Amino acid sequence: MIKKHGLTANKALGQNFLLDTQLLSRIASVPGDLQDSLVFEVGPGPGGLTQALLQAGAKVKAVERDERCLPALQELSNHFPDQLNVINEDALKIDLSQLFDTPFHIVSNLPYNVGSALLIKWLSSADWPPAWQSLTLMFQREVADRIVAKEGSSAYGRLSILAQWRCDAKLAMSVHRSAFTPPPKVMSAIVHLTPKEQPESVSPEMLAKLTQTAFSQRRKMLRQSLKSLPGGLDALKTVGIDGARRPETVSVDEFVTLARCLSA
Ligand code: SAM
């Protein structure tokens, strides 16, 4: 497909393609049985992962920014009639509620330049549980580690808290850089997230602001970094968190309690 359609990888679009069909079908199996399920895929590119999803029986709606990929995806669509629908758009502009009116899974070998922004967008949905049933996403290994990190670890930070407040987050598999064409400089990993039914209710914006402020100076004590946040020091006292602690020792639940107190 890549040769036939002259799809030389465009670095600016994060194009590192996966061609190993066994690996692709393992990735497509991470969300569970996809027979007759709906899947949203970001960045199908030449369609390797898309094909694995279609073979697993999913109906796929995919959004691809690079119009050079469209003829290859049209060929794939011809092989799987009524299973694939491709939108030529920037995934950041897609409103999922306009695309799906029944639950769906999100599966993607994400373009690295917009991966975290998309994850934060999906995690910040006003309604919870969200319309999506699971996220199966490829990230750079370092970002994947941050998403699943537990308090006390050096990878623990804003992304861990935003993800684990509302989801159960697991590292599903590591993917060696040599699996990609062209190979990126770093290793990758697949993260699998499923929404918690009833996470503590807190404003996603407040939690994002609090964690950003706390981790902007991760070596500093909380009473130092939260000074700049209106009500920050009072909130620490109210919820009984010692201001001498560093942010990476504060659990997800404690950050949520702190954000609720700040909102109040
Ligand atoms: N799914 C293919 C695979 O696994 O081999 C390609 C994955 S490649 C890492 C990322 C894909 O996302 C590329 O096809 C790229 O053109 C597309 N892409 C990059 N930025 C995008 C955006 N903002 N919206 C939609 N697609 C985008």
Side-chain angles (χ1 to χ4, degrees):
M1 281 291 195
I2 292 172
K3 261 195 204 140
K4 182 172 168 191
H5 295 279
L7 298 176
T8 42
N10 177 338
K11 218 175 166 188
L13 285 174
Q15 291 185 339
N16 301 99
F17 303 129
L18 287 173
L19 309 176
D20 176 339
T21 49
Q22 272 190 5
L23 172 65
L24 288 162
S25 60
R26 273 175 60 213
I27 297 172
S29 72
V30 170
D33 182 6
L34 288 179
Q35 188 64 46
D36 300 324
S37 298
L38 288 175
V39 169
F40 177 61
E41 186 193 1
V42 172
L49 180 56
T50 321
Q51 180 169 324
L53 293 165
L54 296 168
Q55 280 166 342
K59 284 199 162 186
V60 180
K61 289 191 185 183
V63 58
E64 172 55 62
R65 200 170 164 185
D66 185 354
E67 61 182 20
R68 294 178 312 152
C69 299
L70 301 184
L73 294 167
Q74 183 55 52
E75 264 187 51
L76 194 55
S77 175
N78 297 342
H79 278 90
F80 293 88
D82 303 324
Q83 267 183 267
L84 175 62
N85 179 358
V86 181
I87 303 154
N88 183 205
E89 188 41 288
D90 178 347
L92 285 166
K93 294 188 184 154
I94 294 286
D95 176 358
L96 289 175
S97 66
Q98 302 288 312
L99 276 191
F100 296 95
D101 47 21
T102 51
F104 57 97
H105 298 272
I106 301 183
V107 183
S108 174
N109 173 12
L110 284 172
Y112 291 138
N113 45 352
V114 291
S116 299
L118 283 168
L119 174 65
I120 289 172
K121 184 177 167 193
W122 295 327
L123 291 171
S124 306
S125 146
D127 300 319
W128 207 268
W132 48 266
Q133 295 169 289
S134 73
L135 304 176
T136 301
L137 306 172
M138 178 88 76
F139 286 99
Q140 287 165 270
R141 178 68 203 235
E142 182 226 321
V143 179
D145 285 343
R146 279 165 38 205
I147 294 168
V148 303
K150 296 295 173 206
E151 80 230 39
S153 87
S154 60
Y156 181 69
R158 178 169 170 257
L159 214 45
S160 334
I161 293 149
L162 295 183
Q164 294 171 40
W165 157 48
R166 283 182 143 178
C167 289
D168 293 310
K170 279 193 311 214
L171 212 61
M173 69 174 88
S174 300
V175 183
H176 197 273
R177 49 187 288 280
S178 62
F180 297 85
T181 305
K185 289 204 176 76
V186 292
M187 298 295 192
S188 297
I190 296 276
V191 173
H192 183 60
L193 297 108
T194 45
K196 290 183 182 164
E197 278 300 315
Q198 287 188 312
E200 276 300 320
S201 140
V202 62
S203 139
E205 293 78 25
M206 179 55 84
L207 190 61
K209 198 169 158 190
L210 168 66
T211 49
Q212 185 159 16
T213 312
F215 285 97
S216 62
Q217 300 166 300
R218 59 183 301 136
R219 299 185 140 266
K220 291 214 167 148
M221 292 186 272
L222 285 173
R223 64 168 165 250
Q224 209 48 44
S225 46
L226 296 194
K227 250 189 209 165
S228 60
L229 203 61
L233 298 185
D234 288 340
L236 275 179
K237 261 193 213 141
T238 310
V239 303
I241 294 179
D242 182 355
R245 285 170 65 185
R246 293 183 206 290
E248 71 252 32
T249 69
V250 179
S251 70
V252 175
D253 287 349
E254 285 176 311
F255 268 114
V256 169
T257 311
L258 203 51
R260 280 165 63 104
C261 180
L262 279 163
S263 296

